[in-house]
């Protein structure tokens, strides 16, 4: 190793083809773990660059400290007054401390503190050469990767996600000696499996990426390779006057499949365009990892782009191979389509009686009947025709037993819409077939049709009540019925669409649709608490503090749309100059009420004749005036103006607490003052419990 203080470090692990979907996560975790290891050793570095291809994970640590700093440690012994006797001779305590440190009494130092003087021993541990630590650091980082199932290979005992074939460790321009996962490190990497299968010597760590690109036909950076693939796809599509349909997840997966990406334009028979385009797109993307092409109006064209992993000498043969592979898949899809549309969508309903939704909760047909009943209940709230909602629920799951969805499960709902349209169902029913699954993920669109909203809410509420009712609530990271996602989806629809609907009432109605004895007695309360708890995460993503949400939820409101209006009002209230003082005053009031004799705070009205102090008389008059003003505002759900009006009570509350002794000796006066404070709190509780605001 050179005498330079800092140097670049390359750690590369060469493997069999890594799982493409997991590659970005593995690469990030590997870099993060390497950084964590160096920080743990107290070794400084500039930055860490990540590299990931199907056959390698690598990091390039820039400006890495080549030697660990010396570590000074200080051990404190006994106090000086206890370390020596009156004659100055060391006591057993001092001798024992020196012996434990491996030195003589004279080698110990002293340290003065506020509590006296102490014997101490200072020692310096020389820092280790960074290169000597690198193999162990790499090994620990690899062992910490999020790999659900590791494998062994050959007769080796080491484990990893895929067999490891080489390890390259280079610091600056020097090889790093050592072994990782049972393989001796060497200053060499390997290029593309076909274009350059030979080893490539790595003379300097900083040259790694350039060497692989120039000599090895490998673009080592995942991010740059991904950007390159996207640019090449768009450019090739543009040459044809078309636009590529690029799904980000598919782009990531393809990036994880190739090291030297090359785009290739392919075609298929235009007669297949008579099939619903979603079927063709699903086949191209999910099965073949192809990128479909569309015209300027978004219509699917009989062409696609494939990303190959090499520069072929005969691209026409590669093109023909990909076109040949897709043909039978499209032919199967065409057959499924033709068979499914021979009968109306409702003809599939009978088969739902043979498909189990959950052992204790019955079949899909049973679930559909419950959803239809619940859908009729909430139809008015979403301004939908109850008959159309019921019809939508009866048909909603029929496409699950169609040939097309059996082959392509990702098309559920989409095919239902096509089959409903082909069966001449009402447009609202047709749209609901697909919208019942919205939103599918965070940030996804919400159902826009009345039937779609009713179906999306009813289906998820039925699942939540049923699964919770039989004791299968989510635990930790396990949520097989996606109840967290279902809860957030319902809340989003209720809040953002919006739907003015009481959640507790909806849950009770859903519970009544199950056979007696199936659900636990506390099912509605449990599901309601679970769903309201999801509001903290929902509003947290919108940068609304948890205490604001808690202040509203605590007053017992169970209408999500109403909760949202209250949260907006409290957020606005916090911008007022008096907000913090009013929150503190309410907290003081809540504490007084909590300490009062049981039932006193809730047991009576304020008696005017018992009000004697000018401050309490003024507060009582203000409460009366504000009550008359804010009650109509609360009825109108004008919570912003309600809290703005209540802010006017600040001066009277301040004066009351300054001039009035709440806990008076006279019990009647004391209780009357508690009633007065309770009336103040009650005004604010009509919107939120602002005493919970931080």
């Amino acid at each position: 190793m050179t005498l330079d203080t800092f140097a670049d470090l390359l750690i590369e692990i060469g493997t069999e083809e890594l799982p493409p979907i997991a590659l970005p996560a593995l690469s990030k975790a590997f870099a993060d773990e390497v950084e964590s290891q160096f920080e743990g050793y107290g070794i400084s570095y500039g930055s860490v660059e990540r590299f990931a291809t199907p056959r390698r994970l690598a990091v390039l640590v820039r400006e890495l400290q080549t030697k660990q700093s010396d570590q000074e440690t200080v051990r404190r012994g006994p106090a000086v007054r206890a370390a020596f006797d009156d004659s100055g001779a060391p006591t057993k305590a001092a001798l024992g401390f020196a012996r434990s440190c491996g030195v003589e009494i004279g080698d110990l130092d002293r340290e003065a503190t506020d509590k006296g003087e102490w014997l101490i021993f200072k020692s310096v541990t020389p820092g280790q050469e960074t290169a000597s630590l690198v193999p162990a650091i790499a090994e620990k980082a690899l062992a910490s990767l999020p790999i659900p199932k590791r494998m062994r290979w050959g007769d080796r005992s080491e484990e990893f996600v895929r067999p490891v074939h080489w390890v390259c460790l280079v610091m600056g321009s020097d090889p790093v000696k050592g072994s990782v996962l049972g393989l001796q490190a060497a200053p060499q990497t390997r290029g593309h499996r076909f274009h350059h299968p030979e080893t490539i010597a790595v003379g300097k760590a900083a040259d790694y990426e350039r060497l692989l690109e120039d000599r090895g036909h490998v673009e080592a950076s995942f991010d740059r390779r991904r950007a390159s693939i996207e640019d090449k796809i768009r450019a090739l599509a543009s040459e044809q006057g078309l636009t590529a349909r690029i799904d980000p997840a598919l782009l990531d997966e393809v990036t994880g499949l190739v090291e030297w990406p090359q785009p290739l334009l392919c075609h298929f028979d235009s007669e297949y365009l008579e099939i619903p385009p979603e079927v063709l797109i699903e086949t191209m993307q999910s099965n073949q990892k192809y990128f479909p092409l569309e015209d300027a109006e978004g219509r699917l064209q009989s062409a696609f782009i494939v990303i190959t992993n090499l520069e072929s000498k005969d691209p026409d043969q590669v093109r023909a191979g990909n076109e040949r592979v897709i043909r039978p898949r499209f032919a199967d899809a065409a057959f499924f389509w033709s068979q499914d549309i021979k009968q109306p969508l409702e003809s599939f309903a009978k088969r739902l009686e043979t498909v189990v939704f959950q052992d204790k909760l019955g079949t899909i047909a049973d679930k559909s009947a419950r959803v239809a009943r619940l859908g009729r209940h909430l139809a008015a709230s979403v301004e939908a025709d109850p008959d159309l909602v019921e019809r939508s629920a009866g048909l909603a799951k029929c496409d699950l037993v169609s040939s097309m969805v059996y082959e392509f499960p990702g098309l559920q709902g989409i095919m239902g819409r096509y089959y409903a349209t082909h069966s001449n169902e009402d447009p609202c029913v047709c749209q609901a077939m697909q919208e019942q699954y919205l939103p599918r993920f965070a940030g996804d669109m919400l159902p826009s049709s009345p039937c779609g909203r009713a179906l999306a809410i009813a289906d998820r509420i039925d699942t939540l009540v049923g699964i919770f009712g039989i004791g299968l609530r989510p635990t930790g990271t396990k949520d097989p019925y996606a109840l967290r996602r279902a809860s957030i989806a319902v809340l989003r629809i209720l809040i953002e669409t919006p739907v003015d609907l009481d959640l507790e009432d909806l849950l009770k109605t859903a519970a009544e649709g199950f056979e007696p004895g199936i659900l636990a007695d506390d099912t509605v309360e449990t599901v309601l608490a679970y769903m309201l708890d999801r509001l903290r995460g929902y509003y947290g993503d919108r940068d609304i503090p948890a205490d604001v949400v808690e202040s509203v939820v605590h007053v017992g409101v169970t209408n999500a749309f109403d909760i949202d209006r209250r949260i907006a009002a409290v957020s606005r209230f916090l911008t007022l100059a008096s907000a913090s003082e009013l929150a503190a005053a309410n907290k003081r009031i809540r504490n007084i009420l909590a300490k009062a004799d049981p039932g006193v705070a809730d047991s009576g009205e304020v008696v005017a004749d018992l009000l004697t102090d000018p401050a309490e008389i003024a507060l009582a008059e203000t409460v009366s005036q504000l009550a008359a003003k804010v009650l109509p505002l609360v009825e109108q759900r004008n919570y912003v103006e309600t809290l703005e009006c209540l802010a006017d009570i600040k001066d009277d509350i301040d004066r009351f607490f300054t001039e009035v002794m709440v806990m008076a000796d006279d019990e009647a006066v004391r209780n009357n003052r508690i009633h007065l404070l309770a009336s103040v709190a009650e005004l604010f509780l009509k919107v939120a419990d602002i005493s919970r605001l931080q």
Side-chain angles (χ1 to χ4, degrees):
M1 190 67 221
T2 65
L3 297 177
D4 293 343
T5 306
F6 299 94
D8 295 336
L9 169 68
L10 169 67
I11 303 176
E12 182 195 46
I13 310 299
T15 69
E16 291 285 349
E17 272 69 11
L18 294 163
I21 295 177
L23 190 57
L26 289 174
S27 177
K28 182 180 185 305
F30 184 44
D32 290 346
E33 289 294 337
V34 168
E35 289 188 53
S36 178
Q37 290 289 324
F38 281 125
E39 289 168 0
Y41 280 107
I43 299 173
S44 67
Y45 58 88
S47 61
V48 175
E49 297 179 24
R50 305 198 305 260
F51 301 96
T53 78
R55 301 176 64 215
R56 74 200 74 227
L57 285 175
V59 293
L60 182 61
V61 186
R62 296 285 190 181
E63 299 178 358
L64 181 69
Q65 190 177 353
T66 58
K67 184 179 180 181
Q68 196 180 24
S69 300
D70 293 343
Q71 303 294 312
E72 182 181 78
T73 58
V74 178
R75 286 184 60 190
R76 176 183 286 187
V80 171
R81 65 176 178 274
F84 300 95
D85 59 22
D86 294 339
S87 64
T91 63
K92 289 183 178 180
L95 292 171
F97 176 63
R99 188 165 49 251
S100 69
C101 296
V103 298
E104 300 295 329
I105 286 289
D107 296 323
L108 298 176
D109 294 316
R110 299 189 182 194
E111 180 182 54
T113 70
D114 295 339
K115 296 182 179 181
E117 193 173 23
W118 305 79
L119 287 182
I120 63 170
F121 174 66
K122 294 181 180 179
S123 62
V124 177
T125 303
Q128 301 181 67
E129 295 289 338
T130 300
S132 68
L133 301 171
V134 167
I137 286 174
E139 190 101 43
K140 290 178 182 177
L142 293 170
S144 300
L145 296 187
I147 301 172
K149 189 173 182 179
R150 294 172 182 262
M151 63 181 294
R152 296 192 186 100
W153 55 96
D155 58 354
R156 312 181 70 89
S157 60
E158 294 82 14
E159 296 181 341
F160 196 52
V161 63
R162 293 290 185 270
V164 177
H165 291 306
W166 77 89
V167 175
C168 178
L169 302 177
V170 179
M171 179 173 280
S173 56
D174 295 326
V176 175
K177 296 180 180 179
S179 64
V180 177
L181 292 177
L183 292 178
Q184 286 296 318
Q188 57 189 29
T189 183
R190 299 185 190 179
H192 191 279
R193 186 181 289 278
F194 302 111
H195 286 307
H196 197 294
E198 301 85 4
T199 60
I200 301 173
V202 181
K204 291 178 62 177
D207 293 340
Y208 171 72
E209 184 176 14
R210 180 184 56 78
L211 281 171
L212 277 176
E213 183 174 1
D214 293 348
R215 295 181 55 189
H217 282 71
V218 173
E219 172 54 77
S221 167
F222 186 93
D223 292 338
R224 281 187 279 277
R225 194 165 67 255
R226 186 184 191 276
S228 173
I229 292 172
E230 184 172 6
D231 289 343
K232 289 176 179 178
I233 290 173
R234 294 192 187 282
L236 183 55
S238 180
E239 291 175 6
Q240 310 301 313
L242 302 174
T243 301
R245 187 187 183 98
I246 302 178
D247 179 75
L250 176 60
L251 183 58
D252 283 342
E253 186 176 0
V254 170
T255 304
L257 286 168
V258 299
E259 290 189 321
W260 196 244
Q262 305 297 319
L264 195 64
L265 179 68
C266 304
H267 295 83
F268 59 86
D269 294 338
S270 58
E271 64 185 41
Y272 290 123
L273 293 175
E274 297 178 8
I275 305 173
E278 291 89 346
V279 176
L280 304 180
I281 292 169
E282 176 77 6
T283 301
M284 285 188 276
Q285 292 182 336
S286 299
N287 297 111
Q288 300 304 126
K289 317 306 175 189
Y290 296 160
F291 294 90
L293 297 179
E294 300 171 334
D295 63 13
E297 283 72 41
R299 292 187 295 263
L300 185 67
Q301 301 298 294
S302 58
F304 60 88
I305 292 175
V306 60
I307 299 297
T308 67
N309 191 31
L310 77 169
E311 294 180 11
S312 175
K313 296 179 180 179
D314 189 357
D316 288 340
Q317 186 173 348
V318 178
R319 179 182 295 107
N322 282 279
E323 293 174 346
R324 184 169 57 251
V325 167
I326 200 70
R327 196 174 300 122
R329 290 192 175 275
F330 282 172
D332 287 345
F335 174 75
F336 297 145
W337 169 250
S338 64
Q339 291 299 109
D340 287 342
I341 61 175
K342 287 180 179 179
Q343 52 197 318
L345 181 59
E346 65 179 339
S347 67
F348 292 103
K350 189 69 176 175
R351 292 168 59 185
L352 295 178
E353 298 175 3
T354 65
V355 183
V356 176
F357 167 62
Q358 203 283 332
D359 288 342
K360 296 181 180 180
L361 301 177
T363 65
I364 296 292
D366 296 329
K367 178 176 174 59
S368 297
R370 294 194 301 267
V371 171
R373 172 185 170 278
L374 186 59
R376 288 193 70 93
H377 171 77
L378 60 85
S381 298
V382 296
E383 300 180 350
D385 183 326
D387 292 333
L388 291 181
V389 172
E390 185 173 13
R391 179 65 173 173
S392 299
L395 298 176
K397 307 302 180 185
C398 288
D399 68 338
L400 296 180
V401 291
S402 67
S403 299
M404 188 72 82
V405 175
Y406 181 83
E407 183 69 20
F408 303 104
L411 295 177
Q412 58 185 300
I414 295 173
M415 296 314 301
R417 173 170 59 83
Y418 278 106
Y419 295 149
T421 302
H422 194 269
S423 302
N424 296 315
E425 296 288 344
D426 186 277
C428 189
V429 173
C430 298
Q431 195 169 349
M433 296 300 96
Q434 184 169 350
E435 289 188 338
Q436 64 179 305
Y437 296 104
L438 299 178
R440 297 159 295 179
F441 49 83
D444 191 21
M445 67 179 69
L446 300 176
S448 59
S449 69
C451 289
R453 285 196 291 272
L455 199 56
I457 294 171
D459 182 53
R460 290 176 171 91
I461 290 293
D462 177 82
T463 299
L464 282 159
V465 170
I467 299 302
F468 266 90
I470 59 174
L472 298 180
R473 67 171 295 161
T475 57
T477 58
K478 294 183 178 180
D479 186 10
Y481 290 93
L483 301 184
R484 292 186 184 90
R485 189 164 68 238
S487 297
I488 291 293
V490 171
L491 292 170
R492 281 195 61 200
I493 295 171
L494 295 179
I495 292 170
E496 298 174 26
T497 310
V499 180
D500 190 359
L501 190 65
D502 186 82
L503 194 52
E504 185 174 19
D505 174 66
L506 184 62
L507 293 172
K508 287 179 179 177
T509 304
E512 292 166 358
F514 289 84
E515 292 293 329
I518 291 180
L519 306 181
D521 293 339
D522 62 348
T523 296
V524 170
E525 293 79 5
T526 303
V527 177
L528 180 62
Y530 180 83
M531 295 187 70
L532 293 179
D533 195 51
R534 307 277 77 74
L535 287 171
R536 293 168 177 81
Y538 172 77
Y539 285 106
D541 292 340
R542 297 163 63 177
D543 296 325
I544 294 177
D547 61 327
V548 172
V549 181
E550 180 63 26
S551 72
V552 173
V553 173
H554 188 72
V555 300
V557 184
T558 56
N559 182 316
F561 170 61
D562 194 47
I563 287 173
D564 186 65
R565 294 178 68 92
R566 292 168 184 258
I567 287 175
V570 174
S571 298
R572 176 78 173 270
F573 168 76
L574 286 174
T575 65
L576 300 178
S578 58
S580 60
E581 293 179 46
L582 282 168
N586 269 266
K587 188 172 298 184
R588 185 173 179 181
I589 290 172
R590 301 299 292 178
N591 290 336
I592 292 172
L593 298 180
K595 294 176 182 178
D597 293 337
V600 170
D602 304 319
S603 63
E605 299 290 332
V606 176
V607 179
D609 292 342
L610 293 175
L611 300 173
T612 58
D613 192 288
E616 64 180 333
I617 294 173
L619 180 59
E621 290 177 352
T622 300
V623 168
S624 178
Q625 293 169 3
L626 286 176
K629 186 183 297 186
V630 302
L631 288 179
L633 294 174
V634 172
E635 289 289 329
Q636 301 164 14
R637 290 178 170 173
N638 189 345
Y639 302 122
V640 171
E641 193 170 341
T642 298
L643 289 178
E644 288 176 349
C645 285
L646 292 177
D648 293 339
I649 205 171
K650 174 188 171 298
D651 291 340
D652 288 306
I653 292 179
D654 291 344
R655 182 184 173 195
F656 177 87
F657 281 129
T658 301
E659 301 178 9
V660 177
M661 174 65 71
V662 178
M663 297 304 178
D665 293 334
D666 187 311
E667 182 180 1
V669 172
R670 180 173 66 249
N671 289 344
N672 198 54
R673 288 172 179 173
I674 290 174
H675 294 156
L676 176 58
L677 291 178
S679 68
V680 173
E682 187 62 31
L683 285 177
F684 283 92
L685 287 173
K686 293 186 181 301
V687 179
D689 183 358
I690 69 168
S691 71
R692 294 180 172 269
L693 298 176
Q694 300 299 317

